[in-house]
């Protein structure tokens, strides 16, 4: 499930204090996207005109090479819509910086699939949020299921073994894990499951889409059965309070082993916490990315001793570590409080105590369209997929 398997307590303690360079980092190259997924963590849609230029991106790659960062993970939007995307991939891999990118598959042509299959430094994640078109397309948009499967067919035909099928677990697809695994096996791919966070547009639908308590337990049991066959990126460490810890670090790596560079060069502690409270600096500042990573006040604070807060008296704290920072922040809970999906129910009680409190809003929002939902419409996703078609790629990336 994780690159480090079951980490020893000593290793976890070392990682909590932070590393001289991130193991990997998420780098969103653009906010442009040809889809408008209802749970998009970065509220992608329109391209930001302040995007890092090609040369600025290459300078960041040079810095990552000097820092010996293993790889960058590009996602959140649709990175392939940048005109220089393949140029940047080639530049990174030629400088010993691996690239893993998430895509809806719309630009994975047979030619691009062959190019990807020939590289030892590139990995691809095809996003799919339903094992059927009916469920997937409600979240990701009409036709997106067929597009994703076509991309997987192209990758398989090109001989790309082990690419990733990336799934955000929601209330609507939590019962389809066996079906997702079957799709991955069919294409000789690897299944990757991640947690739904209330970040970006996901904040608007989290209440309706996050798995129920019963589904959480089912997902946990399924992950225990499938062990190393499935990747999770440590998304579900809050579930360790059930008893047996899931493989992986089982801790929040924000500002310690991971971080996010956004399209305009802002550096955030966590890919799921795009908010000014978690902004550490910008790569355009003197000192560049390395300066932000090694000297920012925010990262220094995150690497220090953290209060267990309300969770300190819980016998399971050492297992779940209090859960996800971003999930707590965007649901209005204190960072030293319980995870909103605490498997013991403490998060549910804490949320109920908030009442009608005003919640933090993710920023910035690059959504292209958010049509109002009719008062009579009970479908929580109707706001996002009405009768109008999604914009074209040309409009989205504005180039």
């Amino acid at each position: 499930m994780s690159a480090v398997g079951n980490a020893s307590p000593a290793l976890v303690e070392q990682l909590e204090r932070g590393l001289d360079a991130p193991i990997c980092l998420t780098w969103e190259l653009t906010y442009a996207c040809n889809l408008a997924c209802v749970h998009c963590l970065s509220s992608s849609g329109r391209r930001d005109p302040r995007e890092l230029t090609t040369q600025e991106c290459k300078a960041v790659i040079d810095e990552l090479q000097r820092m010996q960062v293993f790889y960058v993970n590009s996602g959140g939007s649709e990175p392939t819509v940048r005109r220089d995307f393949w140029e940047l991939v080639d530049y990174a891999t030629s400088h010993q910086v691996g690239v893993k990118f998430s895509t809806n598959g719309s630009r994975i042509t047979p030619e691009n699939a062959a190019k990807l299959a020939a590289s030892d430094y590139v990995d691809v994640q095809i996003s799919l949020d339903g094992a059927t078109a009916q469920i997937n397309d409600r979240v990701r948009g009409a036709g997106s299921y067929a597009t994703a499967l076509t991309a997987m067919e192209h990758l398989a035909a090109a001989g790309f073994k082990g690419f990733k099928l990336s799934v955000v677990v929601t209330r609507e697809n939590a019962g389809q894990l066996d079906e997702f695994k079957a799709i991955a096996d069919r294409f000789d791919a690897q299944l990757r499951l991640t947690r739904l966070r209330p970040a970006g547009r996901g904040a608007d639908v989290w209440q309706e889409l996050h798995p129920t308590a019963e589904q959480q337990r089912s997902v946990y049991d399924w992950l225990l059965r499938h062990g190393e066959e499935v990747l999770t990126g440590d998304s579900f460490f809050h579930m360790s309070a059930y008893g047996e810890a899931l493989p992986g670090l089982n801790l929040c790596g924000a500002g310690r082993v991971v971080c996010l560079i956004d399209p305009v060069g802002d550096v955030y502690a966590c890919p799921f916490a795009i908010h000014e409270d978690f902004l550490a600096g910008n790569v355009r500042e003197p000192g560049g990315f390395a300066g932000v990573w090694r000297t920012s006040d925010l990262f220094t604070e995150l690497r220090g001793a953290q209060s267990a807060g309300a969770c300190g008296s819980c016998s399971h704290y050492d297992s779940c570590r209090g859960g996800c920072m971003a999930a707590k922040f965007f649901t209005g809970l204190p960072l030293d409080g319980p995870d909103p999906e605490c498997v013991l129910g403490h998060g549910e009680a804490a949320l109920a105590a908030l009442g009608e409190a005003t919640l933090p809003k993710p920023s910035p929002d690059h959504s292209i369209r958010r049509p109002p939902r009719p008062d009579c419409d009970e479908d929580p996703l109707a706001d996002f997929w009405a009768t109008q078609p999604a914009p074209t790629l040309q409009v989205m990336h504005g180039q």
Side-chain angles (χ1 to χ4, degrees):
M1 289 191 209
S2 169
V4 297
N6 283 305
S8 68
L11 175 59
V12 170
E13 183 179 350
Q14 179 182 354
L15 295 178
E16 282 185 318
R17 296 194 298 268
L19 301 176
D20 192 50
I23 294 175
C24 65
L25 61 87
T26 297
W27 186 357
E28 294 189 8
L29 293 170
T30 183
Y31 280 122
C33 191
N34 57 317
L35 296 184
C37 302
V38 303
H39 56 14
C40 179
L41 64 92
S42 58
S43 298
S44 294
R46 297 183 302 271
R47 172 183 176 270
D48 192 311
R50 300 171 299 155
E51 277 181 7
L52 296 175
T53 66
T54 302
Q55 291 308 311
E56 286 177 318
C57 287
K58 289 182 176 179
V60 172
I61 292 170
D62 291 340
E63 200 170 4
L64 299 180
Q65 181 187 27
R66 290 193 295 270
M67 296 175 71
Q68 297 184 319
V69 173
F70 294 150
Y71 70 90
V72 296
N73 183 10
S74 184
S77 54
E78 179 51 47
T80 63
V81 303
R82 270 192 68 133
R83 289 184 175 180
D84 59 359
F85 174 73
W86 301 107
E87 179 183 352
L88 292 175
V89 169
D90 288 342
Y91 190 84
T93 56
S94 67
H95 287 72
Q96 294 79 52
V97 177
V99 177
K100 177 188 294 183
F101 69 95
S102 298
T103 175
N104 56 46
S106 58
R107 295 201 169 186
I108 304 298
T109 62
E111 294 75 21
N112 285 336
K115 174 183 174 71
L116 292 167
S119 175
D120 293 331
Y121 290 93
V122 182
D123 197 7
V124 186
Q125 295 186 159
I126 304 296
S127 298
L128 197 69
D129 292 320
T132 62
Q134 179 182 15
I135 291 179
N136 177 84
D137 290 7
R138 274 169 49 79
V139 173
R140 302 189 63 82
S144 57
Y145 180 86
T147 296
L149 259 65
T150 297
M152 287 188 272
E153 290 170 355
H154 291 331
L155 290 168
F160 195 135
K161 298 182 183 298
F163 67 87
K164 309 301 184 287
L165 168 57
S166 183
V167 177
V168 177
V169 179
T170 68
R171 189 170 301 181
E172 297 202 344
N173 67 23
Q176 295 187 315
L177 301 189
D178 286 334
E179 288 84 350
F180 283 122
K181 183 67 166 56
I183 293 174
D185 291 346
R186 170 181 157 198
F187 292 106
D188 204 5
Q190 187 170 25
L191 180 60
R192 182 177 188 269
L193 302 179
T194 58
R195 181 183 179 185
L196 174 69
R197 266 90 165 191
R201 285 195 293 268
D204 296 332
V205 297
W206 186 81
Q207 289 289 352
E208 293 84 7
L209 285 185
H210 79 93
T212 65
E214 293 76 15
Q215 287 177 323
Q216 279 209 100
R217 181 64 201 228
S218 177
V219 170
Y220 170 79
D221 290 339
W222 192 92
L223 288 172
L224 284 181
R225 289 195 305 272
H226 289 274
E228 298 298 332
E229 301 174 14
V230 178
L231 300 174
T232 65
D234 288 306
S235 284
F236 303 102
F237 65 90
H238 69 292
M239 292 184 178
S240 294
Y242 278 128
E244 183 178 349
L246 298 171
L249 292 177
N250 287 300
L251 63 81
C252 173
R256 296 161 169 156
V257 296
V258 299
C259 67
L260 166 77
I261 301 176
D262 84 348
V264 301
D266 282 338
V267 181
Y268 293 89
C270 170
F272 305 104
I274 304 176
H275 186 278
E276 60 183 9
D277 283 15
F278 302 101
L279 178 60
N282 189 286
V283 301
R284 285 170 165 151
E285 296 170 356
F289 173 73
V292 176
W293 177 261
R294 292 168 179 165
T295 66
S296 78
D297 292 340
L298 174 63
F299 287 176
T300 299
E301 179 182 353
L302 289 172
R303 293 163 190 165
Q306 300 295 310
S307 168
C311 295
S313 60
C314 179
S315 60
H316 296 280
Y317 177 75
D318 287 342
S319 298
C320 78
R321 315 297 293 180
C324 174
M325 176 182 74
K328 288 187 276 192
F329 180 78
F330 286 121
T331 53
L333 298 179
L335 297 187
D336 62 355
D339 188 288
E341 292 183 292
C342 168
V343 300
L344 302 180
H346 300 313
E348 185 177 356
L351 289 174
L354 288 176
E356 299 299 321
T358 301
L359 302 181
K361 289 295 184 183
S363 58
D365 190 339
H366 297 274
S367 303
I368 283 190
R369 59 184 175 84
R370 301 173 71 112
R373 179 173 65 199
D375 292 339
C376 62
D377 197 332
E378 297 180 355
D379 180 358
L381 307 186
D383 287 359
F384 299 89
W385 291 109
T387 56
Q388 54 190 326
T392 63
L393 284 169
Q394 183 177 2
V395 173
M396 302 299 284
H397 60 62
Q399 297 186 25

